[in-house]
Amino acid sequence: MSFGDPNNPYGQQPQGQPGYGYPQQAPQGIPPQGGYAYPQTPQAYPAGPGYPGAHVPMPGGVKGARVILIILGGLQALVGVLALVGGAMFATALSGSSSSSTSDAGALAGGVIVGVGIAFIVLSLWPILTAVKLGKGRGGVRVSGIIFGSLQTLFAVLSLIGNAVALSDPHAAGAAVFSMLIALVSLGLGLWILIGLANSAAGVYFKRPLY
């Protein structure tokens, strides 16, 4: 039996012999024969934490904590500016008093208020810078935010306790209720920062590879 012209690439090839025509595509699941099959696609590796080039989006909790940190930092800076202006005006108002003791006391009180204002402005940089660096920061920035949230929560709890005691005084009850409302809001914001930065999703985000 003839198998055709061996020089003709389109002719019938003997069984069991590698073909010399166009490369043949091996059926799925069967390894290529004769070394003439098309190259297979390289195996794709999953994208995720720990793999080069993996992109880990910022979790919603971290985004919320960043917004709250910026808001709290801005409020602290505003309180600091108001204290600076108020302290300077207070000292100026009492400096013209005919009594030297009153003038000295006014200058001292104004200086204390101005000092508190400067302290608030300096401390406002902590949450603001932490929030800015959350996008590209590592675990240290996360710890900084957690510490700030912990202090925010602690001071809010202490304020609630103090104002609860002040409710027993009828003359200070109104101011105590207002202060308790502010403390409750402060407590909620502090807890939001803690939960947003301390959960497992935030842990994965801050351990992501940076390139």
Side-chain angles (χ1 to χ4, degrees), residues 9-190:
Y10 302 97
Q12 184 180 3
Q13 302 297 328
Q15 279 188 329
Q17 300 295 327
Y20 295 95
Y22 289 103
Q24 300 298 317
Q25 175 69 40
Q28 186 175 6
I30 301 178
Q33 302 293 329
Y36 293 98
Y38 290 107
Q40 296 183 354
T41 304
Q43 181 179 3
Y45 292 95
Y51 290 94
H55 174 67
V56 181
M58 179 181 290
V62 179
K63 292 180 180 179
R66 181 170 63 174
V67 172
I68 293 173
L69 286 169
I70 293 176
I71 292 175
L72 292 177
L75 290 176
Q76 287 184 3
L78 178 61
V79 171
V81 171
L82 293 177
L84 285 175
V85 175
M89 293 177 61
F90 184 78
T92 302
L94 294 181
S95 62
S97 176
S98 57
S99 173
S100 59
S101 60
T102 303
S103 178
D104 294 340
L108 179 60
V112 171
I113 297 174
V114 169
V116 171
I118 294 175
F120 267 87
I121 293 175
V122 172
L123 290 176
S124 69
L125 297 177
W126 180 7
I128 292 175
L129 293 178
T130 299
V132 170
K133 293 183 178 181
L134 282 179
K136 296 183 178 180
R138 301 302 296 237
V141 179
R142 181 191 184 194
V143 172
S144 175
I146 291 175
I147 293 175
F148 182 86
S150 300
L151 292 176
Q152 177 83 11
T153 303
L154 175 61
F155 288 136
V157 171
L158 294 177
S159 178
L160 284 174
I161 295 174
N163 286 289
V165 174
L167 286 175
S168 59
D169 184 359
H171 301 286
V177 171
F178 180 75
S179 297
M180 288 185 70
L181 293 176
I182 295 178
L184 285 174
V185 174
S186 180
L187 176 62
L189 295 178

